[in-house]
Every structure is written in C-alpha cells, then in structure tokens.
Amino acid sequence: MAKLNRSTHPDPVLPEKILQFGTGVLLRGLPDYLVQKANSEGRFNGSIVVVKSTDSQTDEFSDQDNLYTVAVRGIQQGKEVSETTVISAISRVMAAKTQWKEILMLARNPKLQIIISNTTEVGLNYVEESIFQSPPQSFPAKLTAFLYERFRSVGGSRAKGMVVVPTELVTDNGLILRDAVEKLAQHNELGKLFTKWLKFHVRFCNSLVDRIVTRPTDEAKQALQQEVGYEDNLLTFTEPYHLWAIEGDDRVKQMLSFADTSTPQVIIDEDINFYRERKLRVLNGAHTLTMPLGYLLGLETVADEMKHPLMSKFIESLMLGEIVPTVPHYGIPGMDKAAVEQFAHDVLDRFRNPNLDHLLLNISLQETAKMQARNGATIERHYEQFNAVPKLITLGFSAYLLFMKAVREENGQFFGEINIPKGGTITYPIRDDKAGYFYGDWKTVKKNVPSSVHHFVKSVLSDKKLWQTDLAVLPGFVDAVADNLNSMLTLGVEKTVEKVLG
C-alpha cells in the first residue's frame, strides 16, 4: 500500500502564517483541521510551522511530507457523520532541541503573526531561566525568546505584533502565559521597550477547546487505510462536534482570518465565560460524576456507559435534570438556557459515539480535584435554586467515594478492587493525589455498621481543604450520600442504582 505524501496527494505549500508549539492529536484534530478547511475554501491561504519540544524526532511527519488524515466519525443531531480529510496545512515540523536557531529566524517573517500551543497543563507555568539557552527548557521561555527576536527584528512595530492563543485546558490560559512571559522578560532584563511592545502589541488570548480527538485502535487504523487506499502513520480520529472559543476583540478577529461567519465552530468574543462554564459543568462535570459508577458496574468506556440501560438513563437524567438547570446563562440567543440544553443533547450524542475509545480509567485521573472544580459549584447552585437534595448528583458522589476505596498500597501507588456484576474481580489504580487521604479514612468504616459510613461521609464532606467549602452543611446531603454508599456496600452498586432510579 502506498504511503501518504505530496506525490500521491499533491497540494501547494502556502505562506507560513502560524507558529504552533506542540504536535499532539488535539492540535491536529482541531486548530490544524480548521486551518485546512479555511485554506480549502480560500479564506486563509496560510500554513503552519510546528515546533516539537519533547524530542528531536520529526520523521513521522517528514516521512509523509507533513500530511496526515483526520477521520471524523460519529453522530450529530441524530445523524451519522463520516468524513475523511487529508490535512496539508503543516509546512514543516522543527525540533527545538536541534533547530532552535532556525526557529528563531522565523520571527523575522512578517506574515507570521499567530502563535498557538498545546503543551501540558503545567507547561504554562513560570520557570526562572535564561531565554538565551539553545533552546530554553520551558515553553514560556521558548515563547519569550521568540517574541524577543521578533521585537528586535521589527523594531517594536505595532503592525508586526502577534496574537498568542494557548489551547491548554487551563482556565485563563492566556493570562497565565502572559504572566509567565512578563516575569521572564524581567528576569532576563529584556528592557522597557520590549516590555512596552509586549504589553501593547502582543495579544494573549484565553481560549477554550472542545473536541474529543484520539489515535485509532490498530483495527480501526487498518480498516480506514483500506478504505482510503494509503498508509498513514499519523491517522487521527475525532468526533463531529468541535468548538474553539477565543477571547479577543476586532483586531484578534482580523488576524485570525481562518475564523469568520462561515465557521460558527470558532467563536471570538471579548467574554467566553459562558462557553467555558457550559463545558465545565455539563460535559466535564458529567464525566466526573458518572465515571465511578460506570466503572464500578464493570464498564470500560463512555460508549459502554451509553449502551448500558441503567447508566444511560442515569447520565441523561443527571445531565438534563440536575446539571443543566444550574448552569449560568445570559438570556440572549446563543447564550441562553436553550443553548445550554442543546449543548447537553450534543454531549449525549458525543458520549454515544462508538468510534472513540474514551476509557473511563483515563477520565479518573485526579478525580478528587476534578470533582471539586467541576461539580462543587453545581451542587451548591442546585440547593440555591431548588432547596432540595440532588439525588442523582448524590448517587454519583457516593460512587466516587467507593471508587476511592483503596485495598492496598504498593510503593506509593494505591489500588482499588471491585466485584463486577458479571462475576470476577477487577483491581484498578487510583491515580489521585488524595488516594492516601482516603486510604486512611476508609479504615474507619466498619462492615455492616451504617453509623461508621455516616461518620466517614460527614468527615469527608466537611473537609474545606478538599472542597473549598463545607458540603456537610447542605441540608440532607450527608445523609443521602451515606445512605447510597451504605447501600452500595451491602446490596451492591447495580441494585443501588436501580433503587435510586426507580
């Protein structure tokens, strides 16, 4: 089978207009995909230079002339979607470790005015270091070095300013990155003129990305390669739904010309909090509340949950009945209650997508921190609006506490154990910074002693360090969580779910 390259798929290399830090699937399946679409419609006519920082190996891209395939598979508004696109928007991939001087030379390109990134969540953090290393170690230092080279080459010109759009999944990612760059400029004594240019002519935009992008299984990869007739080692699978919300003004809109009225999936607005809050509460919050229950029932993926009669009913009722009503909205078209409800229905379609292997154990990473960030406010808002116990949130929270029950510890790693309904036992890792905390607290729970379960639940819910508030003061919440947890310990998880759902 022939390999994917520009001989088999000829496409012109367009002027380089974007510098991208990161080679991961999210960037390939969302920003790069959107640029490709804009290029094919004649709306952008620009290419992307990619910087790889993890190592110096770029062969996987160069062997394919920087081409790769995005396969969109799934359900959207009840209809099956199947679309395959060859992405030719990347002009070259450069290794920071071996090509740093060449990367800095790109700063002199007047057409290159956009920088995007997806390193890691901690990749935006400030690290005190020299930006004159070759290369600097941290991403903020690499970015500062690039911007300083830009400033030197353009003499502080306003017309040669830049727009920086980090896509790391961190709230206020643009502000965090700006703060790190400003600290590095001060530490490296880059001067007042650079600081002034940075302040007035480089726009750091907070942004939110929302699309599930995965690498295909070997079986899915082989099947698609047979379908398209070529070999692609960078094959990327994704869902139909996609959103990129960018905080910016008219100048940002002008510079990000790959996004216009024909791409409603890219939203550029001076306030993106509605989109951030909607995703955090509805999609991420639902993931965090449903993952433990699904896993304790012996399921492996989100799609498995949606095929399970009890879990699918639980997820849909939880999302539409208890989470959606608590999400703040602005009461204007596109940002009103109806928009939140439509988003929830879109999320349910996304959860049903059988083409994406979204593993529940992957979602479980740092479950405690996620529970606080994603669902703490939802629980309190539900009480404010309804003055009643949210019974489905309570069920999900009880399952979370049971999921956090470690049966042993080995070299600092904690493991839980469950008896699945089909028979047998599964041992799983609890990858959570608070695993040790729960390992100790669970030892206070005595078998067939409901009062010990109640005491354990009250102790956890009243811990302000965990939740940044006292959840134990919410009327009936401790009792409801303890009752569910005691039922799971005595009757089993499945029977408890059946009882709650009626």
Side-chain angles (χ1 to χ4, degrees):
M1 185 180 292
K3 281 191 174 184
L4 175 64
N5 54 50
R6 291 185 188 267
S7 297
T8 57
H9 286 77
D11 221 345
V13 176
L14 300 170
E16 293 174 338
K17 294 184 178 181
I18 300 175
L19 181 67
Q20 174 178 299
F21 286 87
T23 61
V25 293
L26 177 63
L27 289 170
R28 301 208 305 263
L30 185 57
D32 300 352
Y33 170 87
L34 290 168
V35 170
Q36 176 68 33
K37 291 292 186 181
N39 282 340
S40 65
E41 295 167 8
R43 293 185 286 105
F44 185 63
N45 296 318
S47 66
I48 305 163
V49 186
V50 176
V51 176
K52 186 176 184 182
S53 297
T54 51
D55 56 53
S56 58
Q57 296 299 317
T58 61
D59 292 351
E60 59 181 353
F61 286 90
S62 60
D63 285 350
Q64 299 185 175
D65 294 334
N66 303 310
L67 303 180
Y68 65 94
T69 309
V70 170
V72 180
R73 301 288 187 272
I75 302 167
Q76 192 167 39
Q77 296 180 355
K79 296 181 180 179
E80 187 173 341
V81 176
S82 180
E83 172 197 286
T84 304
T85 304
V86 174
I87 308 298
S88 61
I90 294 177
S91 60
R92 47 184 166 155
V93 178
M94 306 176 75
K97 289 184 178 180
T98 57
Q99 296 175 283
W100 186 242
K101 288 185 178 179
E102 294 172 63
I103 292 168
L104 288 181
M105 289 294 291
L106 292 169
R108 303 182 183 186
N109 176 3
K111 292 184 178 179
L112 197 152
Q113 292 188 292
I114 303 165
I115 298 175
I116 60 179
S117 70
N118 193 283
T119 49
T120 65
E121 282 77 359
V122 297
L124 300 183
N125 293 346
Y126 170 69
V127 177
E128 191 173 279
E129 62 174 308
S130 169
I131 69 161
F132 299 106
Q133 302 171 80
S134 185
Q137 297 303 305
S138 68
F139 164 58
K142 290 183 179 74
L143 177 60
T144 305
F146 186 87
L147 291 173
Y148 186 58
E149 183 65 26
R150 175 74 161 203
F151 165 77
R152 291 174 58 203
S153 68
V154 302
S157 168
R158 178 184 186 280
K160 301 300 186 291
M162 305 201 78
V163 171
V164 180
V165 189
T167 65
E168 289 79 0
L169 298 175
V170 178
T171 300
D172 295 331
N173 44 21
L175 294 177
I176 292 170
L177 184 55
R178 171 183 274 281
D179 181 65
V181 169
E182 288 176 345
K183 286 179 179 177
L184 283 160
Q186 184 175 10
H187 173 70
N188 285 272
E189 300 179 346
L190 301 184
K192 291 182 179 179
L193 290 177
F194 173 69
T195 302
K196 183 178 179 181
W197 180 78
L198 194 66
K199 180 178 180 180
F200 291 106
H201 305 314
V202 179
R203 177 65 189 266
F204 289 78
C205 302
N206 295 325
S207 87
L208 167 74
V209 289
D210 187 4
R211 192 175 214 186
I212 299 170
V213 187
T214 65
R215 298 179 187 274
T217 63
D218 288 341
E219 183 180 353
K221 179 181 177 181
Q222 292 299 325
L224 186 63
Q225 287 183 155
Q226 289 295 326
E227 179 185 325
V228 297
Y230 57 79
E231 181 181 325
D232 182 356
N233 291 320
L234 292 170
L235 183 61
T236 303
F237 265 46
T238 189
E239 60 180 339
Y241 182 90
H242 55 289
L243 175 73
W244 191 8
I246 302 168
E247 213 162 69
D249 53 17
D250 289 340
R251 177 176 170 241
V252 172
K253 289 180 181 179
Q254 183 179 4
M255 294 178 74
L256 302 183
S257 57
F258 57 82
D260 60 17
T261 54
S262 65
T263 53
Q265 301 88 353
V266 185
I267 295 166
I268 302 175
D269 197 287
E270 293 185 5
D271 179 5
I272 63 170
N273 190 60
F274 168 77
Y275 306 100
R276 182 189 299 119
E277 189 74 6
R278 184 179 67 173
K279 176 179 182 282
L280 180 69
R281 305 303 170 191
V282 178
L283 189 152
N284 301 128
H287 265 327
T288 301
L289 279 166
T290 60
M291 179 285 299
L293 200 56
Y295 196 78
L296 292 172
L297 286 170
L299 306 176
E300 293 185 45
T301 69
V302 175
D304 290 340
E305 289 184 322
M306 299 306 292
K307 294 174 186 175
H308 190 282
L310 284 176
M311 277 305 298
S312 61
K313 181 179 179 181
F314 169 67
I315 292 170
E316 188 166 345
S317 300
L318 167 74
M319 192 182 295
L320 298 176
E322 293 187 356
I323 296 178
V324 165
T326 70
V327 177
H329 57 83
Y330 295 173
I332 57 177
M335 301 175 76
D336 54 7
K337 183 179 178 180
V340 179
E341 291 174 347
Q342 181 58 55
F343 179 75
H345 285 289
D346 289 340
V347 169
L348 291 170
D349 276 348
R350 297 165 71 184
F351 283 5
R352 295 185 185 102
N353 191 342
N355 299 284
L356 300 176
D357 291 316
H358 204 174
L359 296 174
L360 297 179
L361 268 187
N362 288 347
I363 296 171
S364 76
L365 184 66
Q366 302 299 352
E367 174 78 0
T368 300
K370 289 175 179 176
M371 186 66 76
Q372 185 280 319
R374 298 172 175 184
N375 296 305
T378 300
I379 295 168
E380 292 185 314
R381 288 170 183 165
H382 190 279
Y383 270 94
E384 290 170 4
Q385 288 181 234
F386 303 104
N387 194 30
V389 176
K391 71 172 187 176
L392 300 180
I393 290 176
T394 303
L395 179 62
F397 200 98
S398 303
Y400 147 69
L401 293 179
L402 184 55
F403 180 86
M404 293 298 295
K405 181 185 179 183
V407 295
R408 73 175 191 273
E409 180 262 334
E410 296 177 5
N411 301 318
Q413 172 67 66
F414 295 87
F415 295 90
E417 192 173 275
I418 56 172
N419 296 316
I420 59 175
K422 295 178 181 179
T425 301
I426 292 178
T427 300
Y428 60 92
I430 302 175
R431 297 175 296 169
D432 191 307
D433 288 345
K434 298 300 180 183
Y437 168 98
F438 282 97
Y439 186 56
D441 271 23
W442 263 105
K443 290 181 178 179
T444 67
V445 177
K446 296 180 175 63
K447 190 176 182 180
N448 297 321
V449 182
S451 61
S452 68
V453 175
H454 191 278
H455 182 270
F456 162 70
V457 170
K458 185 174 182 180
S459 172
V460 171
L461 292 180
S462 61
D463 192 332
K464 293 183 179 180
K465 289 183 179 179
L466 282 184
W467 315 114
Q468 298 181 14
T469 187
D470 185 352
L471 294 177
V473 303
L474 299 173
F477 196 60
V478 170
D479 291 343
V481 173
D483 287 348
N484 286 331
L485 184 55
N486 187 61
S487 177
M488 290 177 183
L489 290 169
T490 55
L491 300 177
V493 176
E494 189 163 7
K495 288 184 178 179
T496 302
V497 179
E498 290 174 346
K499 181 178 68 173
V500 173
L501 293 180

